[in-house]
Amino acid sequence: MSNSTISTKVQADYINQRFEQFHSPLSKEFRLCLDCILHWTHLLHLDKLDQSATVEAFEVIEHNTKIQSLLLDKLLSWRLTSNELDPKQPLDIDLINQQFEQFKSALSVEFRLSLNCTLCWIHLLRLGRLDQSTTERAFRVIEYNAKLQSLLLNKLLNWYLSQNKLDAVFSELSSGAEL
C-alpha cells in the first residue's frame, strides 16, 4: 500500500469520525422523537384514548415532528472545516462538503415532505372535523411517515467517505503533491 493510499485512508477515517461525533447525539434525539410519534399514533389508532389523552397525543406528535425538523436542520448544516484537519494532510474541503450536499439533497427534500405531511394531518386531526375513515387514514399516513423518516435518517446518518469518493477528492492533489 502506497503512502498516499495510507494517508488518504487516515484522512477518510478522521473525517468519518468527525461526522460520527457530530451526528451521534442527533441520532439519539431523532430516534426518541420517532419512537414517541409511533407510540402515540399506535394508541390513537386503537381508538381507546379519552378526549384529553387524544389531545395530548396530537400535541406530542406535533411537538416531536417540529423537533425533528430542527434536528434535520442541524444535521444538514454539517460542514467540514479546515481547522478540523491535519495541516500536513492536503484535502479539498470544498469538494468533500459538495459531495455531502449532493448526497443529502434528495434525502432532505423527501424527509421534509414527510415531516410537513405529518404536521398537516395532525392539524386536521386537531380540528376534529375528519370522519372515521379519514381519521384512520391519517393515523396510517403518520405511522408510515415516521417509518419512512427512520429509513431516510439511516441513509443520512450513514454518509461516509468511501475510497471511491476520496479518490475523486485527491485526484487534483495527486499530480505531484505529497500526501
Side-chain angles (χ1 to χ4, degrees), residues 104-144:
K104 71 182 183 183
S105 63
L107 293 174
S108 63
V109 168
E110 195 170 353
F111 206 112
R112 288 231 185 271
L113 286 172
S114 180
L115 290 170
N116 290 338
C117 180
T118 296
L119 288 173
C120 287
W121 277 110
I122 287 298
H123 178 74
L124 291 172
L125 286 166
R126 288 181 83 175
L127 292 175
R129 297 194 177 145
L130 300 179
D131 62 23
Q132 184 63 30
S133 67
T134 309
T135 299
E136 289 174 13
R137 181 169 184 258
F139 297 149
R140 285 193 305 273
V141 169
I142 291 168
E143 183 178 29
Y144 170 82

Side-chain angles (χ1 to χ4, degrees), residues 68-125:
Q68 282 186 82
S69 185
L70 294 172
L71 292 169
L72 182 62
D73 288 342
K74 192 171 184 177
L75 175 62
L76 297 177
S77 70
W78 181 81
R79 301 285 180 279
L80 186 64
T81 60
S82 59
N83 64 349
E84 295 176 296
L85 299 173
D86 182 350
K88 298 178 220 164
Q89 302 291 329
L91 186 62
D92 188 342
I93 294 169
D94 292 335
L95 187 55
I96 290 173
N97 288 332
Q98 180 184 11
Q99 287 178 345
F100 182 63
E101 286 295 321
Q102 289 171 350
F103 169 78
K104 71 182 183 183
S105 63
L107 293 174
S108 63
V109 168
E110 195 170 353
F111 206 112
R112 288 231 185 271
L113 286 172
S114 180
L115 290 170
N116 290 338
C117 180
T118 296
L119 288 173
C120 287
W121 277 110
I122 287 298
H123 178 74
L124 291 172
L125 286 166

Side-chain angles (χ1 to χ4, degrees), residues 29 76 82 106 109 145 151 155 174-175:
E29 291 181 60
L76 297 177
S82 59
V109 168
N145 282 338
L151 293 172
K155 286 182 181 180
S174 64
S175 60

